[in-house]
């Protein structure tokens, strides 16, 4: 009984660890996409619109994230109804966008930190960390909820 429980616990840890690692890689690339676009926008064409710039950057990074997470991180848990999965992914990412943009808005409007650096730290560091934690849980339990299939 105890060896079975131990074995199942180890298997769960290995599965979760692989998912976390893949999620981290996809998230790291999405972070680079998000941050690069955000810095470019607030340093140039949208210098007066930090919150909108963050929203645009997150939207582009989200498209990449959808592809990476659907076809790599959670490929063993994809659902048969791609449209339901996509809608849930978009909803969860809108919440993530709200978290990140909210951090920029709080920093910019409440704290009065209006520099490019302050907006980057609040949106792409603090907001990203908070949104990443939310997204992993959301993807695991609400988005990619198909039957687990053994994938090599």
């Amino acid at each position: 009984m105890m060896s079975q429980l131990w074995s199942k616990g180890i298997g769960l840890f290995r599965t979760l660890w692989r998912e976390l690692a893949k999620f981290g890689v996809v998230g790291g690339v999405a972070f680079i996409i998000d941050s690069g676009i955000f810095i470019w926008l607030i340093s140039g064409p949208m210098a007066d619109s930090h919150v909108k710039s963050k929203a645009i950057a997150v939207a582009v990074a989200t498209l990449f994230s959808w592809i990476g997470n659907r076809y790599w991180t959670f490929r063993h848990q994809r659902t048969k109804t791609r449209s339901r999965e996509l809608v849930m992914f978009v909803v969860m990412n809108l919440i993530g966008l709200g978290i990140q943009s909210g951090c920029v808005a709080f920093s910019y409007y409440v704290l009065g930190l209006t520099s490019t650096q302050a907006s980057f730290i609040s949106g792409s560091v603090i907001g990203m960390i908070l949104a990443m934690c939310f997204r992993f849980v959301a993807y695991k339990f609400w988005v990619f909820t198909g039957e687990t299939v053994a994938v090599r």
Side-chain angles (χ1 to χ4, degrees):
M1 172 88 174
M2 285 302 286
S3 68
Q4 282 181 325
L5 192 57
W6 179 257
S7 179
K8 286 186 182 227
I10 294 294
L12 179 62
F13 174 77
R14 285 182 180 157
T15 300
L16 188 59
W17 177 250
R18 278 191 298 265
E19 285 179 352
L20 277 169
K22 289 177 179 181
F23 180 79
V25 169
V26 171
V29 175
F31 173 79
I32 291 168
I33 293 168
D34 179 331
S35 299
I37 292 171
F38 184 55
I39 292 282
W40 172 67
L41 289 173
I42 64 176
S43 297
M46 296 181 74
D48 294 336
S49 195
H50 289 204
V51 176
K52 288 178 187 172
S53 296
K54 187 67 199 168
I56 291 168
V58 169
V60 174
T62 296
L63 178 61
F64 168 80
S65 178
W66 159 253
I67 294 166
N69 283 304
R70 180 168 194 348
Y71 293 102
W72 189 44
T73 308
F74 298 104
R75 70 177 185 228
H76 59 285
Q77 288 182 238
R78 291 188 305 212
T79 62
K80 291 179 183 177
T81 53
R82 193 176 306 159
S83 58
R84 177 223 161 261
E85 198 174 85
L86 179 59
V87 167
M88 290 300 292
F89 189 87
V90 169
V91 168
M92 296 308 152
N93 276 282
L94 285 173
I95 294 169
L97 169 63
I99 292 168
Q100 289 183 261
S101 295
C103 288
V104 174
F106 183 80
S107 170
Y108 196 87
Y109 296 113
V110 176
L111 300 179
L113 303 171
T114 59
S115 71
T116 299
Q117 184 179 23
S119 289
F120 178 80
I121 290 169
S122 63
S124 294
V125 177
I126 297 167
M128 180 73 77
I129 290 168
L130 295 173
M132 180 184 65
C133 293
F134 168 76
R135 285 180 176 125
F136 181 78
V137 172
Y139 295 170
K140 179 90 178 134
F141 295 106
W142 297 307
V143 177
F144 301 106
T145 59
E147 290 184 29
T148 301
V149 179
V151 176
R152 296 182 202 264

